[in-house]
Amino acid sequence: MSATIPERLKHLRGELPFDRVSIGYGSINLSKVDELQAAQQGYSIVPEGSKTDWRDEWVVIGYEGLCGDPIFVATSSPNLAVYTAAHGAGQWRAKLIAATFGHFAQILRQLQLLAVGRATPAEISRRPVARAEEDAFLAFIRAGSPDARLAFWQMIYATDM
C-alpha cells in the first residue's frame, strides 16, 4: 500500500532549500521530496488489519524533534494547511501550526533567523530568545495563520527543558 503525495506538495517542498531547523533543544525536521512516501509509514501506511484514525488526506512532511510528533499537511485544504498531532495519545488530534504550506515555509525561515547563535542547548541557554524577539516571531505567525497553535512554536525554542 502507498499514500498519494500530491505533485503540488512535492513542488512546494522541493522549493524549500533546507531539511532542518534547530534551535536549542527543539527542531523541525522535514522529509526530502524523495523521502515523502517513506515518511507515511506508520501513519497512512500501516500493517494490514491495523486500526487507525489517521485521515486519508493527511500527508506527513516531517516531524518535530523533541517528541517526534509528525508534521503533516491536509491535502483537502486548498493551500495545504500544516498540522501536528501528539503520537501515542490513542487518537490523532490535529493542531493547526500554519494556515498554508507557504506560510509554514516562511515561519521556518523566520525560525532560522531566530536560531542564529542558538542552534544548540548550550547556545540558547547563553542567549535565550528575548521577549521582543518572541513577540515579533509570534506576531509574524499570527499575521499569516491567525488560528495557529502558538504553543507549538514556543515549545520549539523553549529553554527550560
Side-chain angles (χ1 to χ4, degrees):
M1 176 185 233
S2 67
T4 302
I5 313 294
E7 289 302 317
R8 172 173 58 132
L9 175 58
K10 290 178 187 177
H11 174 76
L12 289 169
R13 174 56 189 101
E15 289 182 338
L16 206 54
F18 52 87
D19 303 323
R20 179 180 169 93
V21 179
S22 293
I23 181 167
Y25 292 92
S27 64
I28 302 289
N29 305 278
L30 301 174
S31 299
K32 295 177 179 165
V33 172
D34 63 350
E35 298 170 343
L36 286 171
Q37 187 66 43
Q40 307 319 300
Q41 191 66 42
Y43 300 101
S44 61
I45 300 173
V46 294
E48 194 67 36
S50 296
K51 293 196 180 255
T52 180
D53 61 347
W54 190 263
R55 296 184 185 170
D56 290 340
E57 72 265 16
W58 292 347
V59 175
V60 175
I61 59 171
Y63 62 94
E64 62 81 23
L66 285 171
C67 300
D69 292 336
I71 296 173
F72 54 94
V73 299
T75 59
S76 59
S77 162
N79 294 314
L80 301 172
V82 183
Y83 296 86
T84 191
H87 69 280
Q91 60 184 247
W92 295 108
R93 294 187 182 190
K95 297 185 180 3
L96 183 75
I97 58 172
T100 68
F101 186 88
H103 192 237
F104 177 69
Q106 292 173 346
I107 293 169
L108 292 181
R109 287 182 179 103
Q110 291 297 311
L111 188 60
Q112 280 183 318
L113 296 174
L114 199 59
V116 171
R118 299 178 173 119
T120 68
E123 289 175 340
I124 202 165
S125 70
R126 283 192 300 271
R127 190 173 157 247
V129 176
R131 175 55 109 182
E133 292 173 304
E134 179 177 22
D135 289 348
F137 180 64
L138 297 177
F140 179 83
I141 295 168
R142 266 190 235 102
S145 298
D147 297 325
R149 177 71 55 101
L150 297 179
F152 169 82
W153 295 106
Q154 291 170 305
M155 176 214 36
I156 297 296
Y157 58 80
T159 56
D160 54 351
M161 292 289 143

